[in-house]
């Protein structure tokens, strides 16, 4: 499958006072993205069944490297299977800092294996424990199973001795959606909030009203309107897509902790991020948004193939460290 040819804009559509400016992509980076696009076409083209797509994603990610220089302990977190991952140079059963990582995959795919590499990279870069959870998947389990499992994992961290001010919740794609929704749930319940939240290319609007859904339709093979509609049907069925419990764009963000948003300039979900950033900023949230030139949906989970994935993951780790109450030793 030939790679898509796209002209990459170098303008970062962000709020200048809050933006971090990634460098323009190099020719090598563009080549890496073209190769990734070709791989994704080979993996998914012609597949509509969610279980088939789940298996295809698993096969793709099983062929990728496992993390190195980390220790992994399988744990049961309030009934949810999970891996607790920490840097090999640190020797402890439970540490001070934790990142709750919620994987993407359209709510229908993704596992401990598919996201172990990115979780391990965050553990090393942030000198933190990373809790990667295997939440229930659609279509076997719809809303609110995924949010319930993520919230159970967050509460397990609190019960295990991690202080809320030393926990960051992060996720990519619908994992970013979950990271926001779990925090909103805690906010409504007046429970302890995490130190910060990271949402990488989140789905914030299941009503699919963002202009970039059409404008970037030809430039992002990993998430389009058809894919999002499949996800919506499996996740919430006939329930309202503008319910704030499901689409963060429609939620009240007042009181939300510091938030980092990342998105690629080629993503159909670009406006999902930019509109949420605007809403959060208007609600007084300390929000930072990064628009990464030339990047497609979920580029962050391929640091072994894409240089900008390594860089963007490093920015996430820096953000987490800056908000932990107990900073790692230099």
């Amino acid at each position: 499958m030939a790679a898509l040819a796209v002209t990459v804009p170098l303008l970062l559509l962000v709020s200048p006072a809050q933006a971090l400016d990634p460098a323009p992509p190099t020719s090598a980076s563009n080549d890496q993205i073209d190769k990734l696009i070709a791989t994704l076409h080979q993996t998914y083209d012609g597949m509509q069944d969610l279980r088939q797509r789940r298996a295809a994603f698993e096969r793709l990610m099983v062929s990728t490297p496992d993390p190195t220089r980390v220790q992994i302990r399988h744990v049961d977190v309030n009934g949810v299977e999970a891996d607790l991952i920490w840097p090999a140079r640190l020797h402890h059963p439970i540490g001070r800092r934790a990142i709750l990582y919620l994987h993407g995959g359209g709510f229908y795919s993704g596992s401990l294996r598919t996201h172990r590499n990115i979780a391990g990279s965050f553990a090393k870069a942030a000198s933190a424990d990373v809790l990667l959870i295997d939440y229930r998947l659609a279509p076997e389990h719809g809303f609110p199973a995924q949010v319930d499992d993520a919230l159970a994992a967050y509460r397990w961290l609190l019960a295990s001795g991690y202080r809320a001010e030393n926990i960051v919740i992060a996720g990519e794609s619908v994992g970013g959606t979950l990271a926001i929704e779990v925090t909103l749930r805690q906010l409504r319940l007046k429970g302890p909030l995490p130190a910060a939240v990271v949402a990488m290319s989140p789905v914030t609007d299941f009503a699919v009203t963002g202009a970039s859904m059409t404008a970037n339709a030809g430039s992002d093979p990993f998430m389009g309107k058809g894919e999002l509609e499949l996800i919506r049907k499996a996740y919430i069925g006939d329930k309202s897509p503008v319910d704030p419990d499901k689409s963060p764009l429609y939620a009240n963000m007042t009181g939300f902790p510091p938030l980092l948003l990342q998105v690629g300039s080629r993503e159909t979900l670009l406006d999902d991020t930019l509109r949420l950033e605007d809403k959060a900023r208007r609600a007084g949230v300390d929000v930072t948004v990064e628009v990464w030139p030339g990047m497609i949906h979920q580029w962050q989970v391929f640091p072994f193939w894409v240089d900008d994935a390594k860089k963007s993951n490093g920015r996430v780790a820096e953000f987490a460290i800056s908000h932990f109450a107990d900073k790692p030793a230099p």
Side-chain angles (χ1 to χ4, degrees):
M1 177 67 66
L4 300 175
V6 179
T7 300
V8 179
L10 299 185
L11 175 65
L12 299 180
L13 306 175
V14 291
S15 302
Q18 303 249 3
L20 296 177
D21 297 340
T26 63
S27 58
S29 177
N30 286 334
D31 288 344
Q32 290 166 357
I33 288 295
D34 286 344
K35 289 177 181 177
L36 177 58
I37 288 172
T39 298
L40 297 176
H41 277 304
Q42 292 165 5
T43 300
Y44 289 114
D45 276 3
M47 288 188 184
Q48 290 296 313
D49 181 81
L50 296 184
R51 292 177 181 87
Q52 289 181 346
R53 292 173 71 84
R54 178 192 302 169
F57 184 51
E58 196 75 27
R59 286 193 298 271
L60 172 64
M61 299 307 285
V62 163
S63 70
T64 65
D66 257 329
T68 59
R69 296 180 289 111
V70 295
Q71 299 185 62
I72 302 175
R73 179 160 63 94
H74 194 69
V75 291
D76 181 311
V77 296
N78 292 329
V80 181
E81 296 294 305
D83 281 342
L84 189 65
I85 305 172
W86 67 94
R89 68 180 182 275
L90 302 178
H91 302 283
H92 54 70
I94 294 290
R96 287 190 173 185
R97 296 168 297 276
I99 296 173
L100 171 57
Y101 193 79
L102 305 170
H103 70 72
F107 290 129
Y108 64 82
S109 67
S111 67
L112 300 180
R113 176 59 185 88
T114 61
H115 285 70
R116 194 174 291 153
N117 191 292
I118 188 172
S121 71
F122 287 145
K124 290 180 287 189
S127 293
D129 301 344
V130 175
L131 184 66
L132 172 65
I133 71 167
D134 202 15
Y135 60 79
R136 286 171 288 176
L137 298 176
E140 294 88 347
H141 304 280
F143 176 87
Q146 295 78 5
V147 180
D148 288 345
D149 288 354
L151 188 59
Y154 178 65
R155 290 174 176 170
W156 180 87
L157 286 170
L158 294 172
S160 296
Y162 298 93
R163 294 186 295 143
E165 55 264 38
N166 279 326
I167 300 174
V168 170
I169 304 180
E172 104 288 343
S173 188
V174 297
T177 311
L178 284 179
I180 298 168
E181 287 293 357
V182 166
T183 307
L184 288 170
R185 176 101 59 103
Q186 281 292 99
L187 191 59
R188 288 194 297 271
L189 295 173
K190 298 183 173 15
L193 298 177
V197 175
V198 178
M200 299 174 278
S201 307
V203 178
T204 70
D205 179 19
F206 279 106
V208 197
T209 62
S212 59
M213 190 59 62
T214 300
N216 285 353
S219 66
D220 191 345
F222 219 12
M223 178 65 76
K225 185 174 182 180
E227 167 83 356
L228 192 53
E229 288 173 345
L230 282 173
I231 292 170
R232 180 177 65 191
K233 181 178 179 181
Y235 181 51
I236 63 173
D238 295 330
K239 298 180 179 72
S240 172
V242 298
D243 183 341
D245 288 345
K246 303 167 185 68
S247 292
L249 183 63
Y250 304 97
N252 180 358
M253 300 289 288
T254 304
F256 201 89
L259 174 64
L260 171 64
L261 297 167
Q262 283 186 348
V263 69
S265 68
R266 292 166 67 160
E267 291 198 52
T268 56
L269 292 174
L270 175 63
D271 283 342
D272 275 47
T273 288
L274 297 180
R275 290 182 297 161
L276 185 73
E277 183 269 341
D278 181 66
K279 180 161 191 173
R281 180 170 46 80
R282 291 175 185 274
V285 180
D286 177 7
V287 58
T288 300
V289 63
E290 299 177 359
V291 179
W292 284 73
M295 295 299 106
I296 62 171
H297 189 60
Q298 272 189 311
W299 87 93
Q300 299 99 330
V301 301
F302 300 101
F304 34 80
W305 290 339
V306 178
D307 290 341
D308 276 354
K310 296 177 187 176
K311 295 174 185 176
S312 62
N313 291 350
R315 298 287 274 266
V316 170
E318 291 170 4
F319 181 82
I321 289 171
S322 73
H323 288 90
F324 285 139
D326 294 324
K327 313 294 185 194

